[in-house]
Structure formats: C-alpha cells, structure tokens
Amino acid sequence: MTEIQQLSGDRPVAIVGAGLVGAGWAIVYARAGLAVKMFDANPQTTAKAIPLIEGQLAGLRRHGLVHEDPATILARITPVATLAEAVDGACYVQESVLERVDVKRQLMTDLDALAAPDLIVGSSTSGIPGSAFALGLGISPRVLIAHPVNPPYLVPVVELVPSAQTSAATVAFADALMRAVGQTVVHVRKEVEGFVLNRLQAVLLREAWALVQEGVASSEDIDKTVRDGLGWRWSFMGPFETIDLNAPGGVADYAARLGPLYQRIAESRTHEQPWDDELIRQVEAQRREHLAHAELETRRAWRDERLMEFAARRAPARTE
Amino acid sequence: MTEIQQLSGDRPVAIVGAGLVGAGWAIVYARAGLAVKMFDANPQTTAKAIPLIEGQLAGLRRHGLVHEDPATILARITPVATLAEAVDGACYVQESVLERVDVKRQLMTDLDALAAPDLIVGSSTSGIPGSAFALGLGISPRVLIAHPVNPPYLVPVVELVPSAQTSAATVAFADALMRAVGQTVVHVRKEVEGFVLNRLQAVLLREAWALVQEGVASSEDIDKTVRDGLGWRWSFMGPFETIDLNAPGGVADYAARLGPLYQRIAESRTHEQPWDDELIRQVEAQRREHLAHAELETRRAWRDERLMEFAARRAPARTE
C-alpha cells in the first residue's frame, strides 16, 4: 500500500464544483493515483471539464510532468450526477463552488446531512474565511480552507486555513494529504483578509498601481523591474531567505541596515484608493499597447507553457 | 564598428569604486566588449576585485553565459591608480563608491574638475537621489542614477533615475548604453524613496514581517508562499501582465473584481513599525533553524549557481 492509499484508506476524493479550479484539483488527485468523483450542480460544467482535463494532461505529459499515460490518469476521474454520489465513500471533498457565502453555506449544510462521520472538507475559496460559512454544524470541525494557486497541478502552493471550529486532526489530515499529492503546504494560523498569498500580492500590486498613478514609472517598466529583477530570487527562495543571504550577518543584520529605509517607504504611502477609474483606464491603455485584447487568450496559452517549463525544471530541484 | 563601439566612440568605461558592485559592473562592460578602467581610493579593494572577477567569469563560462575565453574578457579590465587615469578618455563613469552623501558629493566635485565635457556619470546608489549630491556643478546635467540589482552581470534590471538637473540627452545615452550591454532599463521618472525596485520589495517584506509578528504564518511558510506560488509568474511576467491575464477581460476587469479586496487588505495595515527587536530575534531564530550562521556563505554560493542557471535559461527566452 502506498502512503497515499494508507492516508485515504483507499477511498476516493470528491471534487464539488467542476469549473476551472475544480478541474485543476481533479488533475492533482488523479495524477497522484487517487480515484476522483467529480460533481457540479450544472452538468454542463462537468461535461466541459473532461476535455479541459484531457488537454492539460497531454501538456503535462509533453513536459514530462506526469509519468503515466494520460488516459490512465483520466480514467480515475468519474463524473457523477448528484452530491450524494460524490461524497459516498469519499475520504475528502475539495469544494470549489461559486465564491458566495450563501452558496458555500448551503453546500456545508448539505454535506453535513450526507457525509460519513470522518469526511474532511477543504474549500478552495481565495477570500471567504471558513468562519463565515462553516460554523455550527456537525461537520464544522472537519472543514478548513485549502486555497490553491491556479492551476494547482503546476503551481504547488496551497494555503490551509482553519476556522474557529476546525479540529487539529483535520488540519493534520489536510496537511498530510496535500504533501502526499505533491503540493507545498502553507499554514495560515489566523483568518486574515486575503490569507497570506493574496495579501503579499495585494501590497505589491497596490504600490505598483500607485507608482503608475504618480507618474513614477509605467506599468511596463514596473513589470520589467519584477520580471528581470526582483522575481528571479523570489522564484526559488522567497523573501526572507533572500534578505537572509543579502546581508553579511543574515536577516537580523539586514533588518538593522534597511529597516529605517523600509519604514520611510511605508510612511510615504497613504490609504487612499489608488485604483480610480482614470488610473485603470491608463493602465488598461498601457497594457493594450503591448497586448491587444484579442491576443489575451494566446498569451494565456504562452503563460501556461512557461509555467509547465518552470514546473518541469523545478521538479528535480525540489528534491535537493 | 559594432553598436556599442559607435555608442562609446570606442572609448573606455571607468569603474569608480571597485567593491562588489563595481566589480560586477566591470564584468557587464567588459563582457560587452568595452575597455574598462577600474579605480578605487583603496588599492587593496581593486586588488581583491580582480580574482573575484576571474572567478565569476569562470562561472559565467561554465553556464554558457559568455562566449569568449574568460581571459580575453578579463584582459579588457585595467586597474588604474588615480581617478584622473580612470576618467581620462572615458565616455562613461559607473560610480559605485560608499553609500554616503558626502562621499558621493566629493566624487562629483572631483569628476567635475577632471572630466571631459561629454563624460556621462551613472551612480549605482540604491537609496540616495541624485539631487542630494549632484546638483549645481558643471557636470550636473550629465549625472544620473543607474541602480543595478546585484550581481548586474546576472540580473539585468537597472533603474535610471534623473536628478532635477539631469539632461534628456544623458538619460538617452544611459538608456542606449545599458541596452547595448544587455541590461533591462527601467525609467524612474521621479526621485522617490527606494526608487521602484526597492519600494516593491519593501512593501512585500513589510507585510511579510507583519504577518510573522501577528502569528499568521512563519517566515518559512511565507517563503514557501512566494517560492512555490507567487514568484513563478513574477519571474517571467511581472505583476501587471500577471493580472492582465488573470481576469477574462484583462487588467481593467481584474481591477473591478479585486480592487475592493485589495483596498480592504491595505486598510487593515497601519504604519506602525513592524521590525521591533523581539520580532527580528524571532525571525532570526526561525531562519537559523533552517540555515545555520556558518552555512550562510555556502548558501550564497548555491544562490549564485541558481541565478546563473536562471540567466542561462532566460537568455534565449528573452529574444522571443
């Protein structure tokens, strides 16, 4: 028995909500050898997910990111017609339904009625804390947030965020499951707005928009600053390791040297909204100079190819 | 005559300040085929720079990042004993002396007395605006900031920041020179604290420190969030292109969808100093769990190897 079979008790995983995010998760679990049942309240969504998954598996195979025949992996994914069928016998539900509190609350109530007493539920929400929709039910101790980056079969990070009622055993199970399927687990210990990943992205973006607004730099030059500068180290080290290596004495030395500058930078920003309509029009125009609206889709395919190449290069490096 | 020979009028470039940054710049210019004269007020610094450059050139050669014999490149770099020798006949000075206003001001005064009437001066300063040390001299219109990321022969971005007195012709020359030697130019149009690159790094780091302080996540988990999540796209796209591709309708669509969340995240932060001594001790302890103080130097060599690999992979991609 493999680690993952032991962990799952050889039971399937259920995907509830089969849009882009749910389909991406189906690939993660099926690639790892698990049986996957896939349900969406809209049967057309499930029907669309299957060819999408097929296409992505072909790409993964081409880049050496899966070692089995894509058809073998696809055969592990079974679309089902009802929520009851999806959760029947499942060890884990990956919830990726609409980002609305009422929709998620209704699903938790339904799962509470249907689920086996040991079923664990992970929600893919990027912005709604579990305490907003998963409290006060029998199932509440077994619900947490498992927020991926899209697409999760390429970019491995997943944020685990317990609600006020999530049990420690649930966090431990989700941690073990995510690691077993190849994800990188980040533990978010408080339900803060945006969790960790979107908070970090938000502060950088907010400063970037403000710099354009003030005429300090164009959006293209800001992209260059990150793409040909800051982003290199961050793509294999992260910000703390970066600064730890950037001062002779390590991170404390760095903090002593650069803390005052960083504080001055922070104090030079107010909380005024930098995304007004005029600014958005300006950045939209700058972007469209570089990429026409009609080319967005082609460029997304280019991005996905780059991400596959990136993942292929990272795969061996991660075992170092 | 090559583009770079035309641009330089076949005249050398002078490196003034031969520490890590100056030595890095010497590699950039010599690799591009330019004659380089290298001066430091402390002759021992220049003497140390030569073997450092030799070692780096060997690494660049190993990774296929230079196509000439390292000895040929090294032979273009001539240490000189005086500032007058360095600037004699030079088309451009790359200033990388100590990060102190008085030291830089003295150098500008000296250059003003020595320099040919068409000599351009780029300062490597990461934090001092040109208006603080380069105004009111005959040479002032020909001085600007050319701030690199370390090491500049691997990470291509360079921020060009004119002072209140820098001429447009100086900016145009520096832009052309930087492009000709393979750097990526970012135009910073106002002298803001930290320019663009350090502002973007600062806001992300500040949020990262605050998240550790509040017990939301460990420094290691924050590193994972960037290294295995956010950093992937940023290493080949930059933040604006990332969000432009992340909403069906492009960047304006993204702003409409996520603006409110980002504003809430911004409003949840105050300007209180997050880098207090207790927090610094805590992060220092977290980092030392992963990397002992004695291993910092080994890990820096590991980082430099990763950066060389990264540069080698990017070299062909940049021509797309």
Side-chain angles (χ1 to χ4, degrees):
Chain A
M1 226 185 199
T2 63
E3 182 200 353
I4 190 124
Q5 283 172 323
Q6 276 190 313
L7 195 64
S8 65
D10 224 4
R11 292 152 68 188
V13 159
I15 300 293
V16 176
L20 258 178
V21 176
W25 275 117
I27 293 174
V28 169
Y29 297 119
R31 176 178 66 179
L34 289 164
V36 176
K37 293 196 285 183
M38 191 162 63
F39 168 73
D40 196 286
N42 181 348
Q44 291 197 315
T45 304
T46 317
K48 272 194 233 162
I50 296 296
L52 182 84
I53 291 170
E54 263 189 298
Q56 291 303 304
L57 285 172
L60 290 169
R61 182 68 176 159
R62 199 167 60 242
H63 286 275
L65 287 163
V66 295
H67 303 293
E68 293 180 298
D69 182 12
T72 306
I73 298 171
L74 188 66
R76 296 194 186 109
I77 303 171
T78 311
V80 297
T82 65
L83 182 63
E85 281 178 86
V87 303
D88 181 39
C91 66
Y92 178 76
V93 169
Q94 185 72 46
E95 174 276 297
S96 310
V97 301
L98 207 59
E99 286 282 81
R100 260 174 45 196
V101 172
D102 60 332
V103 175
K104 293 198 188 283
R105 178 66 187 181
Q106 184 59 53
L107 177 62
M108 293 305 134
T109 311
D110 294 346
L111 286 171
D112 194 42
L114 289 164
D118 62 348
L119 179 82
I120 307 281
V121 180
S123 167
S124 303
T125 181
S126 62
I128 311 176
S131 294
F133 64 86
L135 299 187
L137 301 169
I139 205 171
S140 297
R142 289 175 282 122
V143 179
L144 84 173
I145 308 299
H147 171 232
V149 171
N150 216 23
Y153 51 84
L154 288 179
V155 187
V157 79
V158 58
E159 294 182 283
L160 296 184
V161 196
S163 82
Q165 296 181 349
T166 305
S167 73
T170 295
V171 176
F173 175 87
D175 179 88
L177 178 67
M178 291 299 155
R179 286 170 198 264
V181 299
Q183 303 309 102
T184 297
V185 174
V186 167
H187 289 281
V188 182
R189 300 183 191 282
K190 294 182 181 173
E191 292 182 303
V192 292
E193 186 92 60
F195 311 140
V196 169
L197 186 137
N198 276 324
R199 288 190 78 86
L200 296 176
Q201 175 163 239
V203 293
L204 186 136
L205 273 173
R206 198 161 187 288
E207 179 63 25
W209 283 92
L211 288 168
V212 174
Q213 186 168 46
E214 292 166 357
V216 174
S218 68
S219 61
E220 173 67 7
D221 275 5
I222 289 169
D223 271 0
K224 285 182 192 169
T225 307
V226 175
R227 180 180 80 209
D228 289 348
L230 277 175
W232 287 34
R233 288 178 176 79
W234 285 348
S235 73
F236 65 89
M237 293 198 299
F240 281 108
E241 180 157 19
T242 296
I243 65 174
D244 195 31
L245 300 182
N246 265 358
V251 69
D253 186 20
Y254 186 94
R257 288 165 190 252
L258 286 156
L261 171 66
Y262 284 27
Q263 184 63 13
R264 288 199 304 276
I265 290 172
E267 281 166 4
S268 70
R269 271 284 156 255
T270 67
H271 282 158
E272 284 153 43
Q273 169 65 270
W275 294 17
D276 62 40
D277 291 349
E278 174 47 34
L279 177 63
I280 291 170
R281 267 194 297 275
Q282 189 185 339
V283 170
E284 172 77 12
Q286 288 179 6
R287 283 296 308 152
R288 296 292 76 80
E289 268 176 45
H290 292 281
L291 189 73
H293 226 282
E295 291 164 26
L296 277 168
E297 212 39 52
T298 319
R299 189 69 175 172
R300 286 190 189 106
W302 170 88
R303 172 199 63 195
D304 293 345
E305 279 290 308
R306 295 292 85 70
L307 285 175
M308 290 224 184
E309 287 171 9
F310 199 95
R313 288 193 305 258
R314 278 289 287 276
R318 293 177 67 205
T319 65
E320 278 179 276
Chain B
M1 227 184 199
T2 65
E3 182 200 353
I4 189 122
Q5 284 171 322
Q6 275 190 312
L7 196 63
S8 63
D10 223 4
R11 291 151 69 186
V13 159
I15 300 293
V16 175
L20 257 178
V21 176
W25 274 118
I27 293 174
V28 169
Y29 297 118
R31 174 178 65 180
L34 288 164
V36 176
K37 293 195 284 182
M38 192 162 62
F39 168 73
D40 197 286
N42 181 347
Q44 291 197 316
T45 304
T46 317
K48 273 195 232 160
I50 297 296
L52 181 85
I53 291 170
E54 263 188 302
Q56 291 304 303
L57 285 172
L60 290 169
R61 182 69 175 159
R62 201 167 58 242
H63 286 276
L65 287 161
V66 295
H67 303 295
E68 294 179 297
D69 182 12
T72 306
I73 299 171
L74 188 66
R76 295 195 187 108
I77 304 171
T78 311
V80 296
T82 65
L83 182 63
E85 282 178 84
V87 302
D88 181 38
C91 66
Y92 177 77
V93 169
Q94 186 73 46
E95 173 277 297
S96 309
V97 301
L98 207 59
E99 285 282 80
R100 260 173 45 196
V101 172
D102 59 331
V103 175
K104 293 197 190 283
R105 177 67 188 181
Q106 183 60 52
L107 178 61
M108 292 305 134
T109 310
D110 294 347
L111 286 172
D112 194 41
L114 290 165
D118 62 349
L119 179 81
I120 306 281
V121 179
S123 167
S124 302
T125 181
S126 62
I128 311 178
S131 295
F133 64 86
L135 299 187
L137 300 169
I139 205 171
S140 297
R142 289 175 282 122
V143 179
L144 84 174
I145 308 299
H147 170 232
V149 171
N150 215 21
Y153 51 84
L154 288 178
V155 187
V157 79
V158 58
E159 296 182 282
L160 297 184
V161 197
S163 81
Q165 296 181 347
T166 306
S167 74
T170 296
V171 175
F173 175 86
D175 179 89
L177 178 67
M178 291 301 156
R179 286 170 198 263
V181 299
Q183 303 306 103
T184 298
V185 173
V186 167
H187 288 281
V188 183
R189 300 184 190 282
K190 293 182 182 174
E191 292 183 304
V192 292
E193 187 93 59
F195 311 141
V196 168
L197 185 138
N198 276 324
R199 288 191 77 87
L200 296 175
Q201 175 163 240
V203 293
L204 186 137
L205 273 173
R206 198 163 188 286
E207 180 63 25
W209 283 93
L211 289 169
V212 173
Q213 186 168 43
E214 291 165 357
V216 174
S218 68
S219 61
E220 174 66 6
D221 276 5
I222 288 169
D223 270 0
K224 285 181 191 168
T225 307
V226 175
R227 182 180 78 208
D228 289 348
L230 277 176
W232 287 35
R233 286 178 177 79
W234 286 348
S235 72
F236 64 88
M237 292 197 299
F240 281 109
E241 180 157 19
T242 296
I243 65 174
D244 195 32
L245 301 181
N246 264 359
V251 69
D253 186 20
Y254 186 94
R257 288 167 190 250
L258 286 157
L261 170 65
Y262 284 27
Q263 185 62 13
R264 289 200 302 277
I265 290 172
E267 281 166 4
S268 70
R269 270 286 157 257
T270 67
H271 282 159
E272 284 152 43
Q273 169 66 270
W275 294 17
D276 63 39
D277 291 350
E278 173 47 34
L279 177 63
I280 291 170
R281 268 194 297 275
Q282 189 185 338
V283 169
E284 171 79 13
Q286 288 179 5
R287 284 295 310 154
R288 296 291 76 81
E289 269 176 45
H290 293 280
L291 188 72
H293 226 284
E295 291 163 27
L296 277 168
E297 211 39 51
T298 319
R299 189 69 175 172
R300 285 191 189 108
W302 169 91
R303 173 200 62 193
D304 292 344
E305 279 291 307
R306 295 293 84 71
L307 285 175
M308 290 225 184
E309 287 170 12
F310 199 95
R313 288 194 304 260
R314 279 288 289 277
R318 293 179 66 206
T319 66
E320 276 180 276

